[in-house]
Amino acid sequence: MIDISTGRDVERLLERAIARPDRLTDVALCAPFIDEPMMERIARLAVATRRAACGFRIVTSSAAAVALLARLPEPTAFWRKVVVANDRVHAKVYVVTPRGRGLARAIVTSANLTRRGVAGNFELGVSATSATPQGCHVVRAAREFIGRVAA
């Protein structure tokens, strides 16, 4: 399924991932800007996914990567592999992949990982799930994009 999404959809996606990382195999995020309130949530998500043996990767600006790494527990070497700095990235892409038979979901949007981006501004994007062949294509392409910009 492919549909229009808003910043609130990004917020809901993150909240579900934080609440139940055991239901996911992978979380991949790409956003150049992360503000303080969202930084704390992303740090919680990173720790929760690690505890649940769920993959996690975020591609963000150098400044945001440094700030996020400062909030994550030891060992720093582990986190440096999953928190990737890329100052050329301006895309905002969020992908979650479930364990088992659930639907993978990708959101490609204008919404940064800021309180205003997910709750205050008028943001617009596209959300896709793996429920249809077209949705599977979008989810796969979004995941591959994050992999390329993280390399």
Side-chain angles (χ1 to χ4, degrees):
M1 181 176 91
I2 300 174
D3 203 355
I4 296 298
S5 70
T6 67
R8 292 252 188 233
D9 295 316
V10 173
E11 186 171 40
R12 283 190 287 274
L13 182 86
L14 294 174
E15 286 305 314
R16 283 189 209 116
I18 291 168
R20 294 303 308 260
D22 58 306
R23 292 184 177 177
L24 304 172
T25 59
D26 189 63
V27 176
L29 312 173
C30 179
F33 304 110
I34 308 172
D35 68 7
E36 287 298 318
M38 292 303 290
M39 191 74 67
E40 291 301 323
R41 289 166 96 180
I42 299 305
R44 281 196 335 263
L45 175 60
V47 170
T49 56
R50 184 163 188 213
R51 284 188 188 130
C54 170
F56 176 80
R57 175 170 283 174
I58 183 166
V59 181
T60 189
S61 67
S62 295
V66 167
L68 181 56
L69 286 167
R71 286 170 174 74
L72 294 169
E74 298 291 331
T76 306
F78 170 81
W79 295 113
R80 288 188 191 284
K81 295 176 187 172
V82 299
V83 178
V84 178
N86 185 333
D87 288 321
R88 293 182 53 214
V89 170
H90 190 67
K92 293 84 170 178
V93 183
Y94 311 100
V95 182
V96 295
T97 306
R99 295 184 197 276
R101 301 180 71 153
L103 296 175
R105 184 167 187 202
I107 299 175
V108 180
T109 180
S110 61
N112 279 298
L113 289 175
T114 63
R115 290 302 311 146
R116 291 192 59 135
V118 300
N121 295 342
F122 294 109
E123 304 286 354
L124 184 64
V126 175
S127 174
T129 67
S130 56
T132 65
Q134 298 86 355
C136 283
H137 175 75
V138 172
V139 170
R140 187 173 33 258
R143 189 180 307 119
E144 289 171 0
F145 172 82
I146 294 173
R148 280 194 313 275
V149 299

